[in-house]
Amino acid sequence: MLSALERFAPLPLQESWDNAGLQVGLTEAEVSGALLCLDVNERIVDEAIAKGCNLIVSHHPLLFRGLKQITDATDVQRTVVKAIKHDIVVISMHTNMDNAQDGVNWKIAEHLGLADTRFFAQKTVAGIEAGSGVVGDLPAPMAAADFIQVVKKQFGVECALCNELLQRPVRSVAICGGAGDFLLDDAVALGADAFITGEMHYHQYFGYEQRIQICVIGHYQSEQFTSEIFRDIIQKECPEVRTCIAETNTNPIIYL
């Protein structure tokens, strides 16, 4: 299972600060079922237990930094304890999945119906073509206001954070799921009409009026379909393994 996921999104593709791969448990464990999710917390482990899954595959790593103790002091520590107590293995595919061909950003493009999807901010890592973002084309140009409504509908977004509405039609769309503001200037340089990401700093909204349509939809919302990638890999490479996309919403941000 782990090898199948890592063939799709090799660990060398992850950023230097990341901690993708095996998080908790033993690799030789026989898989009774795989729960697929964005984040790992106690409620996700509870869902895995309830569904008889002894494997959790997440996008965001449970463990970013080393733990100096394992007690009940923090959510992360409690989650580790619960996973170990119930013999649950936790695997995370993070920035390696962001950077991989057909990874997170490609899935976002798929849900928007983009065509001619391709990397931008492309790089080669250990001989593998990768990229932090993708760009593609809408089936037909549309007004910026209509485009934003389409994005909101496709991703179930209650509100999108945007700059001034673009006065030209939107056709070319650049994408970087999660915290992708570092690619905004790259998106402008390649001539994209719009840039979709999960979160951006306030001051980065300034100075791009009529240059590009910024559309920020939330970190969780932008990456919510990553579990579909995990499901497809496992069903193709390990068809005997039962997969369940998590029903638990782990988004810590609420809109009031």
Side-chain angles (χ1 to χ4, degrees):
M1 178 74 68
L2 179 59
S3 60
L5 291 165
E6 291 183 359
R7 280 195 300 272
F8 185 96
L11 288 181
L13 296 185
Q14 71 178 312
E15 303 296 335
S16 60
W17 46 263
D18 201 6
N19 187 40
L22 180 66
Q23 304 277 295
V24 176
L26 305 175
T27 56
E28 65 267 23
E30 183 175 346
V31 180
S32 62
L35 185 69
L36 317 175
C37 59
L38 192 65
D39 310 289
V40 185
N41 59 21
E42 287 189 272
R43 291 185 297 125
I44 285 289
V45 176
D46 288 337
E47 183 176 345
I49 295 166
K51 291 182 174 177
C53 296
N54 66 346
L55 172 64
I56 294 171
V57 181
S58 72
H59 181 44
H60 295 143
L62 171 62
L63 301 174
F64 263 117
R65 303 170 185 86
L67 296 177
K68 294 187 176 180
Q69 60 181 11
I70 300 178
T71 67
D72 60 354
T74 68
D75 179 65
V76 170
Q77 291 179 44
R78 290 191 297 272
T79 302
V80 170
V81 169
K82 183 172 286 190
I84 292 173
K85 183 181 293 185
H86 291 275
D87 295 320
I88 293 175
V89 175
V90 179
I91 295 170
S92 300
M93 298 280 112
H94 191 211
T95 52
N96 52 323
M97 189 61 75
D98 289 329
N99 291 326
Q101 175 77 34
D102 297 322
V104 175
N105 296 312
W106 300 77
K107 179 58 69 172
I108 296 170
E110 177 187 317
H111 277 267
L112 287 172
L114 300 188
D116 190 26
T117 304
R118 58 220 182 260
F119 281 126
F120 77 99
Q122 194 165 359
K123 52 195 173 186
T124 301
V125 181
I128 304 167
E129 291 301 310
S132 299
V134 301
V135 61
D137 300 321
L138 293 167
M142 64 175 63
D146 295 335
F147 167 72
I148 291 165
Q149 291 306 311
V150 167
V151 173
K152 288 176 64 177
K153 181 179 179 181
Q154 291 300 315
F155 291 84
V157 174
E158 298 177 56
C159 64
L161 303 180
C162 306
N163 63 340
E164 177 182 275
L165 287 177
L166 200 66
Q167 296 305 305
R168 67 175 189 271
V170 173
R171 179 66 183 269
S172 176
V173 181
I175 296 168
C176 183
D181 53 9
F182 66 99
L183 286 185
L184 177 58
D185 287 330
D186 294 271
V188 172
L190 63 84
D193 299 309
F195 178 62
I196 297 175
T197 189
E199 55 182 288
M200 249 178 56
H201 289 88
Y202 171 79
H203 291 285
Q204 288 187 284
Y205 288 86
F206 288 102
Y208 292 91
E209 297 82 1
Q210 301 310 314
R211 297 175 67 195
I212 194 168
Q213 181 64 65
I214 295 169
C215 184
V216 179
I217 62 175
H219 197 124
Y220 180 94
Q221 291 88 339
S222 70
E223 297 182 327
Q224 64 184 293
F225 300 117
T226 304
S227 294
E228 295 177 3
I229 306 173
F230 300 148
R231 178 197 62 200
D232 293 346
I233 295 169
I234 295 169
Q235 289 182 349
K236 179 182 177 182
E237 300 293 335
C238 309
E240 72 285 358
V241 174
R242 178 172 57 92
T243 58
C244 305
I245 291 180
E247 299 176 67
T248 302
N249 185 327
T250 56
N251 189 359
I253 300 170
I254 61 174
Y255 299 85
L256 301 175

